[in-house]
Amino acid sequence: VNQVRHALFQNNLMQEYETGRLSTEDVYHFFKRMTAKPFSLNEFLQAASSIFIPNTALWPLVHKIKEQNIRLVLLSNISE
């Protein structure tokens, strides 16, 4: 975990990725070089996206807004 955190923030990997200077595949290859354990691009993507969980506490509010015919739009800063 510390190696990943260091790679993302100390090496500016996250900044490079978030600003589009690195692709997802570039980041995958970067991490693949860091470890001896083999993993596929799909496994990498699954691990990277498994940090997201639904915020179920907001669901009643969303339903209430929807019942009022208010248009809901979801924006995300997910890189791709």
Side-chain angles (χ1 to χ4, degrees):
V1 173
N2 287 335
Q3 286 178 320
V4 171
R5 186 176 290 121
H6 180 76
L8 287 173
F9 299 106
Q10 300 300 320
N11 293 335
N12 290 326
L13 186 66
M14 181 66 86
Q15 171 101 16
E16 295 289 308
Y17 182 58
E18 292 291 332
T19 56
R21 291 188 284 257
L22 289 176
S23 70
T24 298
E25 218 167 292
D26 294 331
V27 176
Y28 162 69
H29 288 296
F30 178 88
F31 280 108
K32 199 167 179 182
R33 284 190 302 271
M34 283 181 61
T35 181
K37 183 178 178 350
F39 55 92
S40 69
L41 176 59
N42 189 49
E43 290 170 319
F44 175 74
L45 294 174
Q46 288 293 323
S49 64
S50 69
I51 64 169
F52 302 104
I53 57 170
N55 187 345
T56 56
L58 289 179
W59 289 2
L61 175 61
V62 171
H63 288 292
K64 206 176 212 181
I65 292 170
K66 188 175 179 183
E67 287 171 359
Q68 296 176 21
N69 292 321
I70 297 172
R71 185 176 179 189
L72 297 176
V73 179
L74 174 65
L75 300 175
S76 174
N77 67 345
I78 305 296
S79 297
E80 291 180 29

